[in-house]
Amino acid sequence: MSVDVRAAGAVLWRRAGDGFEVAVVHRPRYDDWSLPKGKVDPGETLAATAVREVLEETGYHAVLGRHVTQTTYDVPARSGHGVLKKTVDYFSGEAVSGSFEVNDEVDELRWLDPVAAERLLTRDTDTRVLREFCALPVSLITVLLVRHAKAGKRDDWTGDDDLRPLSDAGQRQADALRTLLPCFGPTRVFSAPRLRCVQTVRGVAEDLGVDVRHENLLSEEGYWPDPVLGIARLLAIAGDGGTPLIASQGGVIPDLISALADRDGTELAAARAGVVPSKKGSLWVLSFLPASGDVGPRLTSADYYPTPLPAPAPTRH
């Protein structure tokens, strides 16, 4: 399918008592009530677009979670002749700070419970997005799982493989991750004890003012003697609060995600012939239901971003 216009937005939400509210905005240009969204700027990822557009339209800084859905519809061409195909990717976005002020695009914002918000929304496409958002709880745990960026070929490196550094291309990927990952609000940083893994997330850790904690159970050498221990370690990290960022290796990530998906009945649509993708520099955004009673965190959603560089929409799982 040819896409002429790309856009992104979010279902912006905040806690309210024992429940939550979502933001619905009024756009005087169209005289409609909608969810905040806008067009992708050149050189911008969809996640960055969603965060920027939410801020511009609502005044709120959002931390993204799962990718909710993608809508596609026709819009008139600016020339006045013909139509264009427009796609909008929506994320879950928690409002963490800010306040609304009237701006060039939005003259009113209302915080409403989901039922009232659905009644107010003008377009059926927004209603479907809101319903998809409400299909899962808002209080999900996000784990950001990154494969280390490019580090050249192992056969070309004559030193200790643990010390093989990022290549120039890998450093560009790491720089792009440093821009992309803050959209999802990481709070802690972990890494397999390989230089290339640490270098991939070091910039994010520096921006957060935290150390990169080594996790041997999430390295290839540490994981495979007992994968159950590696999976348990990731779940323990997930249950410790905040949004952890973990850098690991291609020999670990596919098996770990497959095992969690099989255990929790989560479909991985990106898998082909049973193989879970894990390109160098790629990101998995894993969403877990919090632990309840004797049951630990359960994987309920997983989104794959094959590159941190500006790219097409993430594959939704």
PDB file of all heavy atoms in Angstrom, residues 1 69 90 107 135 164 210 214 219 245-246 279 303:
ATOM      1  N   MET A   1       0.838  -1.197   0.000  1.00  0.00           N
ATOM      2  CA  MET A   1       0.000   0.000   0.000  1.00  0.00           C
ATOM      3  C   MET A   1       0.871   1.244   0.000  1.00  0.00           C
ATOM      4  O   MET A   1       1.765   1.395   0.815  1.00  0.00           O
ATOM      5  CB  MET A   1      -0.905   0.013   1.243  1.00  0.00           C
ATOM      6  CG  MET A   1      -1.791   1.252   1.347  1.00  0.00           C
ATOM      7  SD  MET A   1      -2.710   1.304   2.911  1.00  0.00           S
ATOM      8  CE  MET A   1      -1.362   1.570   4.082  1.00  0.00           C
ATOM      9  N   THR A  69      -2.486   1.236  17.869  1.00  0.00           N
ATOM     10  CA  THR A  69      -3.021   0.804  16.588  1.00  0.00           C
ATOM     11  C   THR A  69      -2.598   1.789  15.508  1.00  0.00           C
ATOM     12  O   THR A  69      -2.030   2.851  15.792  1.00  0.00           O
ATOM     13  CB  THR A  69      -4.565   0.697  16.620  1.00  0.00           C
ATOM     14  OG1 THR A  69      -5.037   0.016  15.459  1.00  0.00           O
ATOM     15  CG2 THR A  69      -5.213   2.070  16.716  1.00  0.00           C
ATOM     16  N   TYR A  90      -0.889   5.402  16.596  1.00  0.00           N
ATOM     17  CA  TYR A  90      -1.231   5.870  17.935  1.00  0.00           C
ATOM     18  C   TYR A  90      -0.533   5.032  19.002  1.00  0.00           C
ATOM     19  O   TYR A  90      -0.468   3.803  18.904  1.00  0.00           O
ATOM     20  CB  TYR A  90      -2.740   5.785  18.168  1.00  0.00           C
ATOM     21  CG  TYR A  90      -3.538   6.817  17.413  1.00  0.00           C
ATOM     22  CD1 TYR A  90      -4.065   6.527  16.157  1.00  0.00           C
ATOM     23  CD2 TYR A  90      -3.771   8.074  17.953  1.00  0.00           C
ATOM     24  CE1 TYR A  90      -4.803   7.467  15.456  1.00  0.00           C
ATOM     25  CE2 TYR A  90      -4.517   9.028  17.265  1.00  0.00           C
ATOM     26  CZ  TYR A  90      -5.026   8.710  16.020  1.00  0.00           C
ATOM     27  OH  TYR A  90      -5.761   9.653  15.339  1.00  0.00           O
ATOM     28  N   ASP A 107      -8.291  24.723  20.842  1.00  0.00           N
ATOM     29  CA  ASP A 107      -8.814  25.791  21.699  1.00  0.00           C
ATOM     30  C   ASP A 107      -9.458  25.280  22.974  1.00  0.00           C
ATOM     31  O   ASP A 107      -9.847  26.064  23.843  1.00  0.00           O
ATOM     32  CB  ASP A 107      -9.799  26.680  20.935  1.00  0.00           C
ATOM     33  CG  ASP A 107     -11.026  25.921  20.434  1.00  0.00           C
ATOM     34  OD1 ASP A 107     -11.097  24.687  20.643  1.00  0.00           O
ATOM     35  OD2 ASP A 107     -11.900  26.560  19.826  1.00  0.00           O
ATOM     36  N   ALA A 135      -8.670  -1.788  25.667  1.00  0.00           N
ATOM     37  CA  ALA A 135      -8.700  -3.250  25.691  1.00  0.00           C
ATOM     38  C   ALA A 135      -7.697  -3.833  26.677  1.00  0.00           C
ATOM     39  O   ALA A 135      -7.819  -4.989  27.084  1.00  0.00           O
ATOM     40  CB  ALA A 135      -8.436  -3.806  24.289  1.00  0.00           C
ATOM     41  N   ARG A 164      35.059  -5.896  21.832  1.00  0.00           N
ATOM     42  CA  ARG A 164      34.819  -5.413  20.475  1.00  0.00           C
ATOM     43  C   ARG A 164      33.886  -4.209  20.519  1.00  0.00           C
ATOM     44  O   ARG A 164      32.758  -4.305  21.000  1.00  0.00           O
ATOM     45  CB  ARG A 164      34.232  -6.541  19.622  1.00  0.00           C
ATOM     46  CG  ARG A 164      33.922  -6.155  18.192  1.00  0.00           C
ATOM     47  CD  ARG A 164      33.908  -7.384  17.276  1.00  0.00           C
ATOM     48  NE  ARG A 164      33.068  -8.445  17.789  1.00  0.00           N
ATOM     49  CZ  ARG A 164      31.804  -8.660  17.411  1.00  0.00           C
ATOM     50  NH1 ARG A 164      31.237  -7.870  16.522  1.00  0.00           N
ATOM     51  NH2 ARG A 164      31.117  -9.675  17.907  1.00  0.00           N
ATOM     52  N   VAL A 210      22.556   7.935  35.528  1.00  0.00           N
ATOM     53  CA  VAL A 210      22.605   6.650  36.224  1.00  0.00           C
ATOM     54  C   VAL A 210      23.740   5.814  35.647  1.00  0.00           C
ATOM     55  O   VAL A 210      24.260   6.095  34.567  1.00  0.00           O
ATOM     56  CB  VAL A 210      21.269   5.880  36.099  1.00  0.00           C
ATOM     57  CG1 VAL A 210      20.128   6.698  36.684  1.00  0.00           C
ATOM     58  CG2 VAL A 210      20.977   5.518  34.643  1.00  0.00           C
ATOM     59  N   HIS A 214      25.672  -4.134  34.898  1.00  0.00           N
ATOM     60  CA  HIS A 214      25.949  -5.345  34.131  1.00  0.00           C
ATOM     61  C   HIS A 214      25.031  -6.491  34.566  1.00  0.00           C
ATOM     62  O   HIS A 214      24.811  -6.698  35.768  1.00  0.00           O
ATOM     63  CB  HIS A 214      27.406  -5.771  34.308  1.00  0.00           C
ATOM     64  CG  HIS A 214      28.366  -4.870  33.591  1.00  0.00           C
ATOM     65  ND1 HIS A 214      29.720  -5.097  33.547  1.00  0.00           N
ATOM     66  CD2 HIS A 214      28.164  -3.743  32.860  1.00  0.00           C
ATOM     67  CE1 HIS A 214      30.306  -4.142  32.845  1.00  0.00           C
ATOM     68  NE2 HIS A 214      29.380  -3.312  32.423  1.00  0.00           N
ATOM     69  N   SER A 219      23.530 -12.040  28.953  1.00  0.00           N
ATOM     70  CA  SER A 219      24.523 -12.208  27.891  1.00  0.00           C
ATOM     71  C   SER A 219      24.395 -13.612  27.327  1.00  0.00           C
ATOM     72  O   SER A 219      23.777 -14.490  27.936  1.00  0.00           O
ATOM     73  CB  SER A 219      25.936 -12.001  28.442  1.00  0.00           C
ATOM     74  OG  SER A 219      26.286 -13.073  29.309  1.00  0.00           O
ATOM     75  N   LEU A 245      15.648  -0.239  30.869  1.00  0.00           N
ATOM     76  CA  LEU A 245      16.230  -0.394  29.532  1.00  0.00           C
ATOM     77  C   LEU A 245      17.322  -1.439  29.642  1.00  0.00           C
ATOM     78  O   LEU A 245      18.204  -1.329  30.502  1.00  0.00           O
ATOM     79  CB  LEU A 245      16.795   0.943  29.053  1.00  0.00           C
ATOM     80  CG  LEU A 245      17.778   0.908  27.869  1.00  0.00           C
ATOM     81  CD1 LEU A 245      17.098   0.345  26.628  1.00  0.00           C
ATOM     82  CD2 LEU A 245      18.340   2.301  27.607  1.00  0.00           C
ATOM     83  N   ILE A 246      17.275  -2.449  28.775  1.00  0.00           N
ATOM     84  CA  ILE A 246      18.217  -3.569  28.823  1.00  0.00           C
ATOM     85  C   ILE A 246      18.849  -3.749  27.450  1.00  0.00           C
ATOM     86  O   ILE A 246      18.143  -3.880  26.450  1.00  0.00           O
ATOM     87  CB  ILE A 246      17.523  -4.877  29.246  1.00  0.00           C
ATOM     88  CG1 ILE A 246      16.808  -4.716  30.588  1.00  0.00           C
ATOM     89  CG2 ILE A 246      18.532  -6.024  29.307  1.00  0.00           C
ATOM     90  CD1 ILE A 246      15.906  -5.886  30.944  1.00  0.00           C
ATOM     91  N   LYS A 279      17.300  -7.429  14.894  1.00  0.00           N
ATOM     92  CA  LYS A 279      18.375  -6.776  14.157  1.00  0.00           C
ATOM     93  C   LYS A 279      19.254  -5.971  15.103  1.00  0.00           C
ATOM     94  O   LYS A 279      18.808  -5.527  16.163  1.00  0.00           O
ATOM     95  CB  LYS A 279      17.795  -5.846  13.080  1.00  0.00           C
ATOM     96  CG  LYS A 279      17.085  -6.556  11.943  1.00  0.00           C
ATOM     97  CD  LYS A 279      16.651  -5.546  10.889  1.00  0.00           C
ATOM     98  CE  LYS A 279      15.999  -6.241   9.691  1.00  0.00           C
ATOM     99  NZ  LYS A 279      15.604  -5.255   8.655  1.00  0.00           N
ATOM    100  N   ASP A 303       5.992  -4.785  20.894  1.00  0.00           N
ATOM    101  CA  ASP A 303       6.136  -4.027  19.654  1.00  0.00           C
ATOM    102  C   ASP A 303       7.602  -4.030  19.247  1.00  0.00           C
ATOM    103  O   ASP A 303       8.479  -3.799  20.079  1.00  0.00           O
ATOM    104  CB  ASP A 303       5.671  -2.585  19.832  1.00  0.00           C
ATOM    105  CG  ASP A 303       4.249  -2.489  20.338  1.00  0.00           C
ATOM    106  OD1 ASP A 303       3.372  -3.135  19.746  1.00  0.00           O
ATOM    107  OD2 ASP A 303       4.008  -1.782  21.329  1.00  0.00           O
TER     108      ASP A 303
END
